[in-house]
Amino acid sequence: MTTTLVPGTRRAQGTRRTPGTPHRARRSRGTRRTAVAWLFLAPFTLVFLLYTAIPTIAALGFSLTDLRGTDLRHPLAVDFTGLENYLRLFRDQSFLRDILNTALFVAVGVPMTMGIGFALAVALNSGIRRLRGVFRTVFFAPVVTNVVAVALIWQYAFNESGTVNKVLGAAGFSGPNWLDDPNLAMPVVILLGVWRNFGTAMVLFLAGLQAIPEDVYEAASLDGAGRWRQLRHITLPLLLPTTLMVSVLLTVFYLQVFDEPYLLTNGGPLGSTESVALYTYHQFGSGEFGLSSAASFVMLLLVALVSVVQFRLLKPRA
């Protein structure tokens, strides 16, 4: 039997195309690509599981039990208490006081940090021309400075015989013992937080300002708009996404503030500077693992709720 080949065709005698072969080849390539992607994701996934997901789930379980330091030898012998730890928290006057302290950190620290950062960003973007890089580095230096060393300097400066009181004494005023006064310790702790974080706000605001086209300001100048009107009607509206990001970042930081009150006053005097994060730390240190875990989840809920409110209020609208 002879086979006649039609001129111009590529199909030879004895070859036959199997139906579905291209589909299987594409599926095989997709499987290989998925395997390679998971191979690259494996290190992050492992770290995330070990240091975030599993500890979070374990802490949630601890918050529903009466686990204490004395139960570590027999962790399976603890009792399930449900929401009892959460009810204990809101019956604890110290915890309620610490919520108010944390709210004060946010209410005072966030606007001050954003205001100083925005003012410096505007100055660096339009007012300061020479040595702009030097000023930017100087203003950002507190962000990367070791907080322990800074806290030691602040403790000395605000001591009863420290630098601040010496300056006040030279001006004819008698300085108080700042960190031992329940009414004055909180402003000092908040001031340290503002000093440490205004550099971050400045850099983010500066990036947002530099992203605004110069043509917009030139057109506004031709229309007779002055600096104030440009700031009000051009800069602030176009800077709203950056403002949202800075506000959320700073709010999360101040809601979880720990370093400043711990290093300066350890929550004192009389608990006047103790935050929710520091309360959680103290409860954990005293062996109240279940109560400490519950406090950490209350703090997480506060962060989530405040962030949602900020996104609703500051979200740019078309």
Side-chain angles (χ1 to χ4, degrees):
M1 181 176 179
T2 59
T3 301
T4 305
L5 295 177
V6 180
T9 62
R10 298 181 179 178
R11 188 174 179 181
Q13 184 180 4
T15 61
R16 181 175 298 175
R17 183 172 298 178
T18 304
T21 300
H23 176 70
R24 285 200 298 269
R26 287 194 299 268
R27 185 170 58 185
S28 178
R29 287 196 298 268
T31 303
R32 288 197 299 270
R33 291 176 180 175
T34 303
V36 171
W38 277 109
L39 184 62
F40 279 102
L41 286 173
F44 167 78
T45 304
L46 182 62
V47 172
F48 176 78
L49 289 175
L50 290 177
Y51 295 102
T52 302
I54 295 177
T56 301
I57 296 173
L60 180 60
F62 293 160
S63 70
L64 303 176
T65 66
D66 60 351
L67 180 66
R68 293 181 174 87
T70 56
D71 299 324
L72 290 180
R73 292 184 178 181
H74 307 284
L76 298 180
V78 298
D79 296 325
F80 177 80
T81 58
L83 299 179
E84 179 61 29
N85 286 324
Y86 295 91
L87 296 177
R88 282 181 59 193
L89 286 176
F90 289 98
R91 290 195 297 261
D92 187 353
Q93 295 300 319
S94 297
F95 183 74
L96 298 178
R97 176 204 62 206
D98 295 344
I99 290 180
L100 294 178
N101 289 341
T102 304
L104 185 61
F105 276 116
V106 175
V108 178
V110 172
M112 285 184 62
T113 307
M114 292 182 65
I116 296 174
F118 179 73
L120 292 175
V122 171
L124 289 173
N125 188 57
S126 58
I128 301 175
R129 298 295 182 183
R130 295 182 178 180
L131 302 177
R132 179 180 296 178
V134 175
F135 282 106
R136 190 181 306 173
T137 303
V138 170
F139 291 144
F140 191 75
V143 179
V144 296
T145 304
N146 186 283
V147 63
V148 178
V150 171
L152 290 175
I153 295 173
W154 278 63
Q155 282 182 338
Y156 172 76
F158 286 93
N159 195 9
E160 191 171 7
S161 58
T163 307
V164 175
N165 284 347
K166 288 181 180 179
V167 173
L168 292 176
F173 299 96
S174 178
N177 192 354
W178 297 86
L179 297 178
D180 287 336
D181 190 330
N183 297 318
L184 297 177
M186 177 65 84
V188 176
V189 175
I190 293 176
L191 190 61
L192 176 58
V194 172
W195 182 83
R196 285 190 63 206
N197 290 279
F198 77 83
T200 301
M202 178 201 69
V203 169
L204 294 174
F205 277 128
L206 185 59
L209 290 172
Q210 292 178 348
I212 300 176
E214 290 290 339
D215 299 342
V216 179
Y217 293 107
E218 293 176 0
S221 298
L222 293 176
D223 290 339
R227 288 293 182 90
W228 171 248
R229 293 186 63 185
Q230 291 180 19
L231 178 65
R232 181 181 176 184
H233 297 288
I234 297 176
T235 304
L236 292 180
L238 294 180
L239 209 61
L240 195 57
T242 305
T243 304
L244 173 61
M245 179 177 64
V246 175
S247 175
V248 171
L249 289 176
L250 291 178
T251 301
V252 170
F253 167 79
Y254 282 106
L255 282 174
Q256 302 178 96
V257 64
F258 175 83
D259 295 340
E260 288 81 359
Y262 174 70
L263 294 172
L264 280 182
T265 62
N266 196 25
L270 302 177
S272 60
T273 61
E274 188 175 58
S275 63
V276 175
L278 192 54
Y279 175 91
T280 304
Y281 171 79
H282 285 155
Q283 293 300 322
F284 187 87
S286 62
E288 292 283 352
F289 296 155
L291 191 65
S292 175
S293 300
S296 66
F297 275 93
V298 170
M299 183 171 59
L300 176 63
L301 181 61
L302 289 175
V303 171
L305 288 177
V306 174
S307 299
V308 169
V309 171
Q310 287 180 312
F311 273 102
R312 289 294 183 92
L313 295 178
L314 298 177
K315 183 180 179 180
R317 293 174 175 83

